[in-house]
Amino acid sequence: MTLSARLFLTALLLFAAVIALGFAVTAGRFHDFDIAVSHALNLQRGVSHDWLILVMQGISWIGGGIQRYVIVGILALALWRWRGWGVASAMAVATLASALTSDILKSFFARARPDLVPQLDLISSPAFPSGHATNAAVVYLLFIMLVPQARHPAWRLAAAAMILLMGLSRILLNVHWPTDVIGGWMLGASFALMAAAVISFRREQRQSKDPTVQKF
């Protein structure tokens, strides 16, 4: 099996897992898990927490609204410079497609947001899957996979940290259940792998004609 086929198959399995998780959580599965993790991580205003709330709100702000697309544009431009317009376009398309899919799934599953403690960020949509987690996973995971090997590993470490912190911030701010974030990570990863599969497939096609083409 070729690399592109393996990537695409993994992406499909992850997407199927997102759907399965959506049905499970709306049926009440993982309720105890969500409650336990949420209680352990939820923040409430206080002298010792105010600074952390501000940090988490800042991280969440980066992952939402127009600013997330500004970041996508910057990363896409970097990839365009390093790897060409095709790779940059793959990131842009995957980001938009995952955002649309996340919105559709939110409306379909219509899961209520957490109400254990007061919410510390503005919300206007159902909970599952987390759009912030989806966006972070597709953008930064794809960036990790596509950034040239010669680049400093700090690029990859920073991207991996953003994936984790973005999801964690949504739980800490009391606006998502842990399974919302897990579902978002899986959804974003599935679109990142789909984009990587397309890039790999195109490279395999070129390699069949010219063996000197660099592997993915």
Side-chain angles (χ1 to χ4, degrees):
M1 184 181 292
T2 62
L3 174 59
S4 61
R6 292 196 300 270
L7 288 170
F8 187 69
L9 178 59
T10 305
L12 288 180
L13 291 174
L14 273 174
F15 188 81
V18 173
I19 303 301
L21 181 59
F23 281 112
V25 296
T26 52
R29 306 288 184 182
F30 302 108
H31 178 265
D32 291 343
F33 169 80
D34 277 331
I35 293 293
V37 175
S38 294
H39 273 308
L41 296 179
N42 283 162
L43 293 176
Q44 298 187 53
R45 291 197 178 278
V47 175
S48 62
H49 285 160
D50 283 351
W51 70 272
L52 184 55
I53 290 172
L54 289 174
V55 170
M56 292 297 105
Q57 287 174 333
I59 291 171
S60 281
W61 180 85
I62 291 172
I66 191 65
Q67 53 273 17
R68 65 177 170 179
Y69 294 111
V70 172
I71 292 173
V72 171
I74 293 171
L75 296 181
L77 284 174
L79 290 175
W80 170 74
R81 181 177 179 183
W82 295 332
R83 300 288 301 272
W85 70 269
V87 171
S89 298
M91 168 172 281
V93 172
T95 301
L96 292 174
S98 66
L100 177 60
T101 304
S102 176
D103 288 343
I104 292 172
L105 292 178
K106 281 176 179 289
S107 297
F108 178 78
F109 290 113
R111 190 187 194 190
R113 297 274 184 162
D115 58 358
L116 302 177
V117 293
Q119 295 161 343
L120 299 174
D121 199 11
L122 298 176
I123 53 174
S124 60
S125 62
F128 183 91
S130 166
H132 282 68
T134 298
N135 180 75
V138 66
V139 173
Y140 298 115
L141 179 59
L142 194 54
F143 187 77
I144 290 171
M145 297 171 68
L146 298 178
V147 67
Q149 294 292 331
R151 293 291 163 181
H152 196 278
W155 283 100
R156 292 182 174 85
L157 291 175
M162 282 303 299
I163 295 173
L164 294 174
L165 288 173
M166 191 63 68
L168 184 61
S169 73
R170 304 308 284 167
I171 303 172
L172 287 168
L173 294 174
N174 319 312
V175 294
H176 273 295
W177 299 106
T179 45
D180 298 335
V181 170
I182 293 171
W185 280 337
M186 291 195 300
L187 181 62
S190 71
F191 275 90
L193 291 174
M194 286 180 193
V198 172
I199 294 170
S200 182
F201 177 76
R202 293 181 62 187
R203 193 172 298 276
E204 288 163 0
Q205 293 297 102
R206 292 197 298 271
Q207 279 184 318
S208 65
K209 299 176 182 179
D210 182 4
T212 63
V213 173
Q214 185 180 4
K215 293 184 178 180
F216 181 83

